[in-house]
Amino acid sequence: MTAKLGVSALVVLFLAGLWLVAAPFAVGYQPRGAAYADATVNDLWVGGALAGVSFVAIVIYAADALRELAGRGKHVADG
């Protein structure tokens, strides 16, 4: 149960990071063709960092879960 909650939180954080990257253009406070506003630069850095860190955490969790499953299968086969 705790693992599912943690993975769900990581997925929500990843999606929030993606939204921060897309928001200046989707909402329209960054005019097309204009120099990036300070808010746009902030959203890109914070959103990119949030999405990147949460993606890495999801990959690490998935690798650990696969390693655990492989270990269980090995013990069953040796059984």
Side-chain angles (χ1 to χ4, degrees):
M1 177 66 175
T2 305
K4 288 181 184 179
L5 183 62
V7 170
S8 299
L10 287 172
V11 169
V12 168
L13 287 173
F14 178 71
L15 293 175
L18 291 181
W19 169 248
L20 280 174
V21 170
F25 311 103
V27 175
Y29 64 82
Q30 174 58 49
R32 182 172 285 182
Y36 281 175
D38 289 340
T40 301
V41 173
N42 185 53
D43 278 357
L44 292 175
W45 279 106
V46 173
L50 185 63
V53 168
S54 59
F55 181 77
V56 168
I58 291 170
V59 169
I60 290 171
Y61 176 80
D64 186 51
L66 287 174
R67 188 178 314 117
E68 183 179 330
L69 286 174
R72 286 183 188 173
K74 190 175 185 179
H75 292 300
V76 171
D78 292 341

